[in-house]
Amino acid sequence: TQRGNFLKIDRHKYVRVAYHGFSPISSNMRKHLYSRTFNKVPSFTEKTFVNMDTLFQHVDAHLFASLIHMKDNGEHDFLDFKTYEEIYRQVRECVDLCHRDGVIKDEVARDPEKYLVLDDGLLPMLRGFRDAGVKVFLLTNSYWEYTSTAMNYLYHEKKVDMDLQKKNEWLELFDLVVVGSCKPAYLTDPYLNLFRVVPEDGSLRNTDGLFEIEALGENGAAKFLETGKTFQGGNWKHLQAMLDIEAGEEILYVGDHLYADVLRSKRALGWRSCFIMPELPEEMRIFQTQMELRKSIMELRKLRDELSLYADSLRREMETASFSESRHMEKKIEQVEEDDMKVKVRLTEVHREYHSAFHTRWGQMFVAGYQDSRFAYFVKNYACLYTSKATNLGLASVSRAFRTSGEYLPHDNLMSDKFSEFVDGDAE
């Protein structure tokens, strides 16, 4: 936010793509601004950097980029006296205010058909979980009024009148509902208070939380929920106690916010996590259609490796060669280097075409350059599962075990190539 730049970073924290507002930053300028210097490695975790890892932040990003463009082009005098950092902070405050004062959710509640997407698999999935004895909970930062409106629409597949909404028939799908949870604090702060929600009017009642559950003795959690299963606030300790769960790994938490849902729940509590990424089908579709181009890229990269190996072999031979032979080999090396440069230029062109097929500016979400992107790094490290929509879980039985795919290190990939040959340097 300090410079008004947008960055795409790989898992090693190298900046691969950079824009200033809507304008691309040249390769030389990008390297000058963000290259590693002696005893200084940028972490991109300072307060002047903001991670964009959720669709919610697209609003902030587009507003910020638009204001940067307006400031740089001198379209509005009042922007001349503001820094990029001040502009971003005010954008963030305005968007936060829109969430807090209800202006966004009020509009959704007025016309849910316009904003909420129905999924035919939702109700069968939740009922299937219930029938199989799987405990299901809803944990949301939204307050009761909006949650009730949205869930009634999803349950009845239409906007319902106030009398039907007050019945909240959708509650039969869940063992526990927590609104106004204040994630990510819900997952880290053990001192947040828990309140009961009266479904009929949304009013709140005090509870003694964990102490009340313990005081109820045997089957305290079940007795506690007999009074009602709708709550506001609290923290993860309340959730695990009400679900009668002893270890975090017994929970599979499904969320679409990489930081507030996946990273915190996995790293701090050890919950199993499933990350929802709506963009995934489009990424996969383009990946499939661009397979031939990707194959060309890998062949060109392999060709560069072979040219480098050949040049190395010539350099080793030069150490014992005569003067005339060395001169001949030097010319060969020069020719190899020229060929390598030609391949590099072609590779850059092909890779740019491949990159642009996914997104004209940012390319693949999971890839930066030839490495995993920073986004991919967090998904791989903190999401046990990831999929395009939650209802995909309904396609698998509750007995299904999801296993990790075998992960290869670079030397494993090298040896798995049918043209590779292992030479044991220690063998006699």
Side-chain angles (χ1 to χ4, degrees):
T1 59
Q2 195 173 45
R3 296 188 176 105
N5 295 344
F6 295 80
L7 313 176
K8 186 176 183 181
I9 307 170
D10 68 18
R11 65 189 180 96
H12 299 295
K13 300 178 183 177
Y14 285 103
V15 178
R16 298 299 184 181
V17 184
Y19 274 76
H20 177 73
F22 295 119
S23 303
I25 297 175
S26 68
S27 177
N28 289 336
M29 179 59 72
R30 168 170 53 85
K31 292 174 182 177
H32 174 73
L33 291 174
Y34 301 108
S35 63
R36 302 180 178 205
T37 55
F38 177 73
N39 204 31
K40 183 180 179 182
V41 179
S43 66
F44 301 102
T45 57
E46 297 85 357
K47 64 179 182 180
T48 54
F49 291 96
V50 176
N51 284 324
M52 283 190 60
D53 48 27
T54 172
L55 288 172
F56 291 105
Q57 290 168 309
H58 283 201
V59 175
D60 304 41
H62 193 271
L63 287 172
F64 187 39
S66 298
L67 289 167
I68 290 169
H69 177 79
M70 292 164 64
K71 174 179 171 63
D72 292 348
N73 288 278
E75 295 181 16
H76 296 277
D77 293 342
F78 77 94
L79 290 174
D80 295 339
F81 303 99
K82 294 183 181 295
T83 65
Y84 296 122
E85 204 165 357
E86 289 173 330
I87 292 173
Y88 178 78
R89 185 171 64 249
Q90 292 177 2
V91 167
R92 186 90 283 281
E93 290 171 353
C94 291
V95 175
D96 273 344
L97 179 61
C98 290
H99 284 286
R100 287 199 306 271
D101 66 10
V103 64
I104 295 175
K105 291 179 179 177
D106 287 348
E107 178 60 28
V108 176
R110 276 192 292 271
D111 189 7
E113 294 181 356
K114 182 178 180 180
Y115 300 101
L116 300 181
V117 179
L118 295 174
D119 189 328
D120 294 337
L122 179 63
L123 300 185
M125 178 188 72
L126 293 175
R127 288 182 176 128
F129 288 157
R130 180 196 58 194
D131 295 342
V134 176
K135 293 181 180 179
V136 181
F137 65 92
L138 175 64
L139 179 66
T140 174
N141 282 357
S142 299
Y143 289 106
W144 175 254
E145 291 75 10
Y146 176 77
T147 302
S148 176
T149 299
M151 290 306 301
N152 269 295
Y153 174 73
L154 295 175
Y155 184 83
H156 295 285
E157 299 184 342
K158 63 180 181 180
K159 186 176 181 180
V160 299
D161 59 39
M162 190 56 63
D163 290 336
L164 184 56
Q165 179 167 327
K166 286 183 177 180
K167 293 181 181 179
N168 288 299
E169 295 173 334
W170 59 272
L171 285 173
E172 55 107 1
L173 301 171
F174 299 94
D175 295 273
L176 176 65
V177 173
V178 180
V179 300
S181 62
C182 296
K183 295 177 293 180
Y186 186 92
L187 306 171
T188 58
D189 188 345
Y191 301 107
L192 296 175
N193 293 320
L194 180 70
F195 301 91
R196 286 190 181 276
V197 175
V198 179
E200 289 74 21
D201 59 12
S203 61
L204 302 180
R205 300 286 186 270
N206 289 321
T207 75
D208 289 326
L210 297 174
F211 300 106
E212 188 173 339
I213 294 173
E214 291 174 4
L216 290 171
E218 187 177 357
N219 297 322
K223 294 174 182 177
F224 185 71
L225 292 176
E226 285 177 359
T227 309
K229 57 183 178 181
T230 52
F231 298 87
Q232 178 174 309
N235 57 69
W236 86 95
K237 288 187 175 182
H238 296 122
L239 179 74
Q240 293 186 179
M242 288 187 286
L243 293 175
D244 198 19
I245 288 173
E246 295 182 358
E249 64 182 17
E250 297 180 52
I251 294 177
L252 174 61
Y253 183 51
V254 183
D256 62 357
H257 196 296
L258 189 57
Y259 177 76
D261 291 329
V262 174
L263 191 148
R264 284 296 184 183
S265 64
K266 180 68 179 295
R267 187 163 64 181
L269 306 177
W271 291 3
R272 299 295 187 182
S273 56
C274 178
F275 179 49
I276 303 303
M277 182 183 168
E279 307 92 337
L280 189 58
E282 182 66 5
E283 287 270 308
M284 296 174 70
R285 183 190 67 77
I286 297 173
F287 183 90
Q288 185 179 41
T289 60
Q290 299 296 321
M291 286 291 287
E292 287 300 316
L293 193 58
R294 186 175 186 274
K295 183 179 178 182
S296 299
I297 291 172
M298 302 312 294
E299 289 174 348
L300 288 171
R301 295 197 75 199
K302 186 173 182 179
L303 178 57
R304 292 198 69 196
D305 286 338
E306 292 173 353
L307 288 171
S308 296
L309 288 171
Y310 180 53
D312 279 349
S313 68
L314 291 174
R315 293 186 183 97
R316 285 194 296 270
E317 290 179 23
M318 284 176 62
E319 295 175 0
T320 57
S322 64
F323 177 77
S324 60
E325 289 174 334
S326 295
R327 292 295 298 165
H328 179 66
M329 289 178 184
E330 282 180 1
K331 291 181 179 180
K332 278 189 174 182
I333 292 173
E334 289 175 1
Q335 184 60 52
V336 169
E337 290 175 346
E338 288 180 12
D339 292 342
D340 180 65
M341 184 55 64
K342 292 177 183 178
V343 175
K344 181 181 178 181
V345 171
R346 176 57 183 159
L347 181 58
T348 300
E349 295 172 351
V350 176
H351 188 258
R352 185 181 295 114
E353 181 183 349
Y354 181 74
H355 171 94
S356 300
F358 291 88
H359 189 279
T360 53
R361 294 182 178 180
W362 300 107
Q364 285 178 274
M365 292 191 69
F366 286 95
V367 179
Y370 295 106
Q371 300 284 333
D372 287 344
S373 65
R374 187 176 175 86
F375 175 79
Y377 170 81
F378 283 117
V379 172
K380 288 176 67 175
N381 280 272
Y382 294 106
C384 301
L385 302 172
Y386 64 92
T387 185
S388 61
K389 56 182 181 179
T391 51
N392 285 343
L393 293 173
L395 302 176
S397 72
V398 296
S399 301
R400 169 76 176 275
F402 293 95
R403 301 175 181 86
T404 59
S405 58
E407 295 185 4
Y408 281 0
L409 288 169
H411 69 277
D412 297 318
N413 286 321
L414 181 64
M415 292 309 302
S416 64
D417 189 324
K418 64 180 180 180
F419 296 108
S420 294
E421 181 181 354
F422 177 68
V423 178
D424 191 348
D426 296 328
E428 294 184 358

